Amino acid sequence: MQESKGRWTGAGVVAMVVGLATSYATAMVLTIRESPVVAVAELVIQVTPGAVAERLIRIVGRLDKPLLILGILLFLLAMGAVAGVLARRSSLKPMLLWLGLAALGSAAVLLQPGASVVDVLPVLVGFVTWVAVLPALTKPLLTERHHPELASRERRVFLMVAAALGVGAIGIAGAGRVLGRGRRHVAESRRLLRLDGVTRPIAPADTAVGLPGLFPWQTPNEDFYLIHTAIAVPTIEPKDWTLRIHGLVDHELTLTYNDLVKRELTESWITLNCVSNEVGGDLVGNAWWSGIRIADILAEVGLDPSADCVLQTSEDGWNCATPLSALTDDRDAMLAVAMNGKPLPIEHGFPVRTIVPGLYGYVSATKWVVDYEVTRFSDVSAFWTERGWSEEGPVKMASRIDVPRSGAEVDAGEVNVGGLAWAQHTGIASVEVAVDGGEWQPAQLGQAPSTDTWVQWALTVQLGPGDHELSVRATDKDGLEQTGVRRDVLPNGATGWHTIQVSAGG
């Protein structure tokens, strides 16, 4: 009896797998970005409180999204097992379970920005698959129950049917992926794209202090940190991209990609960092960005004097409210089309994203941006501010030690110490290091082409044998000294001196 129950459970799991495969394949063939599993995952992200999300990210790091997808898949497999067990006694109860799961998937899909009835088709295909496959798998089990003398034959039939369906599921999913070439088309469009006026970056020679082991002043695209809420990143052909600018303006404007890139180009070295970057963290990078100044575009549409922000919206529905003053002053706030001399990587917002020096990304750096609504902070709420983060997010001054690493063993005597410091749109004036809480010692600074980039720094300190603590602090060009008070990243960025421990031998 126990063995039979195991097969009923297995029948439900196999039915679930086949349904997921057909659903996924349908989404790929129709080039629907949000397959049902992805849509559910993004809904989970949307409803998760900011503090909870931050705590989970600290624990699992970049595995947050893969683990979320894995958790959803394991839940669905468990539901498949339940459906199989329910089928032992009822044909209606599994149907109700399948219907409930389909309703949940449909709701998650329809809640995605810009969703249409067509986007629900993968869910319906999966539902029909579940309804059709489970009876096919349980038929031999029912025959075995009513005709025990045929048990051996029916078990073989069950195993053959389950194996065939399992292999078929793999084939269906693989075929769907092959046919779903939307992302590959966009990747090919990006590869072939030629942007007039975009130059290759040449980092000024005096930005480097020459200390081996330091993180490079220019961050390569492949090493630039990635933070976004999308499970499946949007893939937009340049010919299909538009940006609508509306709200408290004299007249609306809709820009196509060709409209945008025909405009005057601006290029700047700009350091970006995430508000979730902890003291000494690596969620920060510096790149050569090419794009069109937002201030010039907003001047064309005419701004209502009462407006104080722009609600930016991404193609995937993520949004943020950016202070209007940061988009219209003398900084190079831009609609970026290139990063380090090449069209934006898909993961970094291709074909167009927003870059605003001096603001954390959660209030400014919208990837795959498609909508600007000129408005007032009092009239809108945005993704992260709804989850407990501050309304405005000016970058806080920070510094970190990259050499030596915390916990390193070094030779006693002269020890080279170095790292990075930043205070975007203000600039770094000096960096100092203290050994074991002693006097602050000034470091040599690399040069910076503007106040919107980080600087490298280095110095040599004397360490006697034993364990030591090294701390770093910076002072910006306004004379403000970096605070040593430790504060969490929530609600508007971490503060405190980066401190490491090293052991000197000899």
Side-chain angles (χ1 to χ4, degrees), residues 72-413:
I72 292 171
L73 290 174
L74 290 176
F75 169 78
L76 290 173
L77 291 177
M79 290 298 96
V82 170
V85 172
L86 292 175
R88 298 177 67 205
R89 295 288 180 260
S90 169
S91 60
L92 177 60
K93 289 180 180 178
M95 178 76 73
L96 294 176
L97 179 59
W98 299 137
L99 190 60
L101 293 174
L104 175 62
S106 298
V109 168
L110 291 174
L111 286 172
Q112 298 298 314
S116 66
V117 176
V118 175
D119 297 322
V120 181
L121 188 57
V123 179
L124 298 179
V125 170
F127 172 73
V128 171
T129 303
W130 291 331
V131 172
V133 168
L134 186 59
L137 284 164
T138 57
K139 182 178 179 180
L141 303 180
L142 290 171
T143 302
E144 178 184 349
R145 175 186 295 173
H146 297 298
H147 302 279
E149 70 278 8
L150 301 177
S152 178
R153 187 193 71 181
E154 295 305 315
R155 288 172 187 172
R156 289 195 300 271
V157 171
F158 170 79
L159 292 174
M160 287 189 292
V161 172
L165 288 170
V167 172
I170 296 173
I172 291 169
R177 188 164 186 82
V178 170
L179 293 172
R181 297 176 180 175
R183 181 184 173 90
R184 283 198 288 275
H185 286 165
V186 173
E188 183 66 8
S189 297
R190 175 183 176 272
R191 187 183 69 81
L192 297 174
L193 190 61
R194 298 294 179 265
L195 294 170
D196 294 336
V198 170
T199 63
R200 292 297 179 92
I202 301 176
D206 52 4
T207 57
V209 295
L211 179 60
L214 281 186
F215 196 80
W217 185 82
Q218 177 191 346
T219 309
N221 289 357
E222 60 271 18
D223 295 332
F224 210 96
Y225 77 94
L226 273 172
I227 297 291
H228 52 71
T229 61
I231 298 296
V233 299
T235 49
I236 310 171
E237 294 276 3
K239 64 181 178 61
D240 296 328
W241 178 86
T242 60
L243 174 68
R244 180 188 176 211
I245 304 171
H246 60 106
L248 298 177
V249 297
D250 293 339
H251 59 273
E252 291 191 12
L253 176 65
T254 297
L255 291 172
T256 67
Y257 190 77
N258 284 337
D259 293 334
L260 186 68
V261 297
K262 287 178 182 177
R263 292 169 174 259
E264 183 180 357
L265 199 72
T266 185
E267 295 187 299
S268 300
W269 291 104
I270 299 173
T271 296
L272 299 183
N273 64 138
C274 180
V275 70
S276 295
N277 195 40
E278 297 180 336
V279 173
D282 60 359
L283 298 181
V284 58
N286 187 57
W288 177 246
W289 301 95
S290 309
I292 290 78
R293 280 178 50 83
I294 297 170
D296 297 339
I297 297 174
L298 292 180
E300 291 181 20
V301 300
L303 302 175
D304 189 300
S306 68
D308 61 8
C309 73
V310 171
L311 183 67
Q312 304 185 48
T313 303
S314 167
E315 195 274 340
D316 71 337
W318 185 88
N319 63 10
C320 70
T322 307
L324 191 58
S325 59
L327 298 174
T328 55
D329 62 14
D330 61 351
R331 74 187 78 191
D332 265 337
M334 68 174 77
L335 286 164
V337 296
M339 179 181 183
N340 284 329
K342 297 180 180 180
L344 290 171
I346 292 174
E347 291 78 7
H348 285 284
F350 181 80
V352 183
R353 68 170 295 174
T354 303
I355 299 291
V356 185
L359 297 182
Y360 286 122
Y362 83 101
V363 296
S364 66
T366 307
K367 302 181 181 77
W368 317 288
V369 62
V370 294
D371 191 273
Y372 275 5
E373 181 187 356
V374 179
T375 182
R376 291 178 286 263
F377 277 113
S378 60
D379 295 335
V380 297
S381 60
F383 186 90
W384 285 115
T385 53
E386 290 174 345
R387 289 158 176 78
W389 296 83
S390 296
E391 192 170 67
E392 301 187 32
V395 170
K396 295 182 177 178
M397 178 169 32
S399 55
R400 76 181 192 208
I401 301 172
D402 290 345
V403 177
R405 299 295 182 185
S406 187
E409 295 184 2
V410 299
D411 294 332

Side-chain angles (χ1 to χ4, degrees), residues 26-40:
T26 303
M28 292 299 99
V29 169
L30 296 177
T31 62
I32 296 173
R33 186 180 70 84
E34 290 90 355
S35 67
V37 171
V38 168
V40 171

